[in-house]
Amino acid sequence: MTETALHTDTPNGMSTLHACAGQELIDRLQYERHHIQRRSRYNELYLISRLDAEGEFAERGVVAKAAVADILQIKPAEAYKVTRLARNVFPTVTLTGETLAPKLPCTAAALADYTIDPAHGLVIDIVLNSRAAGRLDPSAWSSVEQTFSEWAHTLSPHQLAVEAHWLISHLDQDGPEPGEDGCDELLNELWLTPNPDGGGWIRGTLDAGSFEEIKRAVLATLLPEEDERKTLPERQADALAEICSHSLDEGRLPAEGGVRPHVTVIMTEHDLQQKARGAQLEFGGKAPASYLRAMLCDCGITPVVLGGKSLPIDVGYESRTAPTGLRKALSVRDRGCAHPGCARPPHWCQVHHVIEWSAGGPTDLDNCMLLCKQHHRMIHTSGWTVTIRDGWPEFIPPKWLDPTQTARRRPTYR
């Protein structure tokens, strides 16, 4: 097989990446993203700002958004956001010749130093142009812009968006005044239209409370994509139909916080204490050690005493490693998955022990945190280290991801 070298014209004169391997490839990827691409995209913003401010687009008979979409070959909606960001992170000159400072000065400085990505800038610009942000007083708005630009140094754009939207909604707890922006009280409406060929259509508008209740019920019943290989809209429709069927059969909906669908693992006390390499599941499947360790973080244990021929002679009551009171306390502290930028709510999360429960780690607030299933599995398999410092969960990435292993944590405003 003929090997093909990858070529690049990066400023340091490197003409091939063929000799790179292992950690060097990861370091090179981060360099390309954090230096080369950031500089290139910052230059794009600068050029867009100049062309827009100097009237070059208007002189050619096109609006800036349309011109940028054609030049960069991006969608018009994305071009609009990029153009607005360019206007907000570079100085502008008024018709009288007065130079105005950028609307987003802290974001502009971070972009100019290449310490954040233009994708972070787009998040900050979008959030701070929201109606909720517009209701903040000018000093609070400026303070939030500075906070967002600082968070962008350690959070990905997606993580920044999650935390930024949460903070804005937290600061705008009163919401709009009645009648503001058309936000009068929303009435619930629902149309059920039958299809002559069978089935039908559902269309409606819901107030915030009703939408919250229906969405929670659907999510609680939603089947995973890999189980049925259906799209999300298809699975949501199936879930809603199942909820209605169950309601007709039982006269009530499944209660959140009830007994969860569970997996049964049978193992001896010795295996439990020795952190067995795996376990046999109820239906014959073999569970790997990482899966078992994650399960033992938040499980129910039913002691069974075996007599002759391994026949059960006594079955005790199930006890949970994380009692209800502790889960409530963790929900108040973590507000869902404790990993920075994750928006999974508490009822989607599992309890993770910093010091493993099977190794004698206590089941208390100083040794536990809430993690969604994805991040729980990541902690057990990907080399991350977790701890609780000053009462708050903290995550330390592996060296291959971050050579400095700078600790990451959610902002403590939550």
Side-chain angles (χ1 to χ4, degrees):
M1 179 180 294
T2 303
E3 293 185 333
T4 302
L6 300 177
H7 295 278
T8 177
D9 57 352
T10 51
N12 62 5
M14 183 179 182
S15 61
T16 180
L17 299 178
H18 175 69
C20 294
Q23 182 63 43
E24 191 176 4
L25 286 172
I26 296 177
D27 293 341
R28 186 65 197 182
L29 179 61
Q30 291 180 328
Y31 178 83
E32 291 284 342
R33 178 64 177 175
H34 295 162
H35 296 279
I36 305 302
Q37 290 192 35
R38 283 182 180 177
R39 182 174 64 179
S40 175
R41 295 188 66 193
Y42 179 79
N43 289 343
E44 282 184 1
L45 290 175
Y46 171 75
L47 294 172
I48 291 170
S49 174
R50 284 278 308 275
L51 290 167
D52 185 28
E54 295 173 12
E56 292 295 332
F57 293 138
E59 188 174 316
R60 288 161 173 75
V62 293
V63 296
K65 176 184 72 174
V68 170
D70 283 340
I71 294 171
L72 300 185
Q73 295 293 291
I74 58 179
K75 295 180 180 179
E78 183 181 353
Y80 169 75
K81 295 174 185 176
V82 170
T83 303
R84 188 177 66 184
L85 176 62
R87 291 170 178 168
N88 289 338
V89 296
F90 289 100
T92 56
V93 180
T94 66
L95 295 176
T96 61
E98 180 186 4
T99 301
L100 301 179
K103 182 181 178 181
L104 302 172
C106 298
T107 305
L111 286 170
D113 291 339
Y114 312 140
T115 53
I116 69 173
D117 194 87
H120 292 105
L122 286 171
V123 170
I124 295 172
D125 187 53
I126 290 170
V127 174
L128 289 179
N129 274 284
S130 66
R131 290 177 176 176
R135 289 189 285 271
L136 302 179
D137 64 71
S139 61
W141 193 95
S142 298
S143 177
V144 167
E145 191 260 334
Q146 179 179 357
T147 298
F148 289 170
S149 65
E150 292 171 355
W151 286 355
H153 287 78
T154 57
L155 298 179
S156 70
H158 170 73
Q159 293 170 339
L160 177 63
V162 172
E163 302 297 345
H165 280 293
W166 196 96
L167 180 56
I168 289 296
S169 64
H170 176 74
L171 296 175
D172 184 46
Q173 291 182 355
D174 293 337
E177 296 292 334
E180 179 184 344
D181 297 328
C183 294
D184 289 319
E185 183 178 359
L186 186 64
L187 298 178
N188 289 331
E189 296 179 315
L190 183 67
W191 290 270
L192 302 173
T193 307
N195 184 344
D197 297 326
W201 296 271
I202 298 178
R203 181 169 60 91
T205 304
L206 301 170
D207 60 37
S210 299
F211 181 81
E212 177 77 9
E213 292 168 351
I214 291 177
K215 185 170 182 177
R216 279 184 176 274
V218 168
L219 291 178
T221 316
L222 197 66
L223 292 177
E225 180 181 4
E226 58 270 21
D227 283 359
E228 296 210 319
R229 299 191 180 280
K230 293 183 177 181
T231 65
L232 178 61
E234 289 172 337
R235 289 181 292 125
Q236 288 183 153
D238 290 343
L240 182 59
E242 183 177 350
I243 290 169
C244 294
S245 177
H246 187 83
S247 179
L248 291 173
D249 289 341
E250 302 292 335
R252 60 180 177 84
L253 294 179
E256 183 181 322
V259 177
R260 296 179 295 177
H262 60 277
V263 173
T264 299
V265 178
I266 302 174
M267 55 195 308
T268 67
E269 183 180 5
H270 177 267
D271 289 338
L272 180 66
Q273 297 299 333
Q274 295 300 317
K275 294 182 289 187
R277 294 183 178 276
Q280 196 72 16
L281 302 181
E282 184 177 14
F283 295 107
K286 184 69 174 179
S290 59
Y291 178 80
L292 179 60
R293 286 195 296 269
M295 287 183 63
L296 291 176
C297 281
D298 184 18
C299 66
I301 295 178
T302 302
V304 179
V305 179
L306 301 179
K309 298 183 180 179
S310 297
L311 294 175
I313 60 175
D314 182 68
V315 180
Y317 292 101
E318 180 183 76
S319 62
R320 297 199 64 78
T321 61
T324 302
L326 176 61
R327 284 194 65 94
K328 290 182 178 179
L330 291 171
S331 297
V332 171
R333 185 193 69 187
D334 297 343
R335 303 296 179 93
C337 180
H339 195 272
C342 185
R344 294 293 194 189
H347 69 278
W348 279 31
C349 295
Q350 302 167 339
V351 176
H352 172 71
H353 286 68
V354 176
I355 301 175
E356 293 182 6
W357 176 81
S358 58
T363 303
D364 58 27
L365 200 59
D366 293 328
N367 190 54
C368 294
M369 64 183 69
L370 292 181
L371 291 175
C372 70
K373 189 174 182 179
Q374 178 181 349
H375 286 119
H376 198 181
R377 182 169 56 249
M378 180 189 75
I379 296 302
H380 280 282
T381 60
S382 301
W384 284 71
T385 302
V386 294
T387 185
I388 294 181
R389 184 168 63 89
D390 299 329
W392 295 93
E394 193 168 75
F395 299 78
I396 301 174
K399 283 188 176 181
W400 67 263
L401 181 62
D402 180 4
T404 67
Q405 292 195 293
T406 302
R408 305 177 185 183
R409 62 193 298 181
R410 266 188 166 173
T412 53
Y413 65 85
R414 287 178 182 252

